[in-house]
Amino acid sequence: MAGRVHNIALVAHDNKKAELLEWASFNKGSLAPHHLYATGTTGTMLEFELGLKVHRFMSGPVGGDQQIGAKIAEGKIDMLFFFWDPLEPQPHDPDVKALLRISTVWNTPMACNVATADFLISSPLFTEGYQRVIPDHGPRDWEEMRTEDEA
């Protein structure tokens, strides 16, 4: 599966936008062949700075984080670079936690800082193809899961 084109989401909180832009500029050649997605302002900045097409969702606080989370749940986003700010309170903190959670639930490769982003994008799996295991969270029959003692 060499040369697979990924669907990559890029998200950054205000205090981390410059850091993400610097990282993305350095890795422009690696990002260029892929489909890029981002929340509002981050997407605008990335498109302007990198000269690459970026599909922009809404701004994070007004639903963009949830839009990206939905795409992850649908299997339409392959990996997430989310430079979030752990030292600054966010008005949409529940959405931030939901995005981190849904990425983990669906076993989506995710980097939350430059070091992890560097490891992810420089991994041979990034270019050679990687089949992530997608957990089966399909319909659950809670009645069948109950033990005899609970019935």
Side-chain angles (χ1 to χ4, degrees):
M1 198 171 223
R4 178 169 182 247
V5 174
H6 297 292
N7 295 311
I8 300 172
L10 301 150
V11 182
H13 286 158
D14 289 345
N15 291 341
K16 298 290 183 172
K17 287 189 188 328
E19 199 171 2
L20 179 65
L21 283 173
E22 183 179 340
W23 178 85
S25 294
F26 182 81
N27 290 288
K28 179 181 175 181
S30 297
L31 293 170
H34 304 285
H35 301 287
L36 305 179
Y37 299 82
T39 50
T41 306
T42 303
T44 300
M45 294 169 77
L46 285 165
E47 197 166 69
F48 179 78
E49 291 294 325
L50 302 179
L52 300 175
K53 173 80 175 110
V54 178
H55 174 87
R56 291 184 302 274
F57 291 106
M58 293 177 179
S59 175
V62 297
D65 293 340
Q66 290 194 1
Q67 287 178 303
I68 288 178
K71 293 296 181 192
I72 289 170
E74 293 170 6
K76 296 184 177 167
I77 297 284
D78 301 315
M79 64 186 68
L80 171 64
F81 294 89
F82 184 8
F83 287 24
W84 63 284
D85 187 352
L87 300 177
E88 193 69 30
Q90 302 295 324
H92 64 301
D93 194 55
D95 297 340
V96 171
K97 285 188 171 72
L99 180 54
L100 295 169
R101 180 187 163 282
I102 205 72
S103 296
T104 302
V105 164
W106 290 105
N107 196 32
T108 302
M110 173 175 50
C112 294
N113 57 43
V114 172
T116 309
D118 286 344
F119 271 84
L120 186 58
I121 204 165
S122 65
S123 168
L125 299 174
F126 186 81
T127 54
E128 293 173 11
Y130 171 71
Q131 285 294 90
R132 72 181 159 106
V133 175
I134 299 174
D136 181 8
H137 297 296
R140 297 181 181 199
D141 186 346
W142 296 108
E143 290 298 317
E144 285 184 20
M145 296 176 75
R146 292 180 6 167
T147 63
E148 288 182 29
D149 293 340
E150 295 173 318

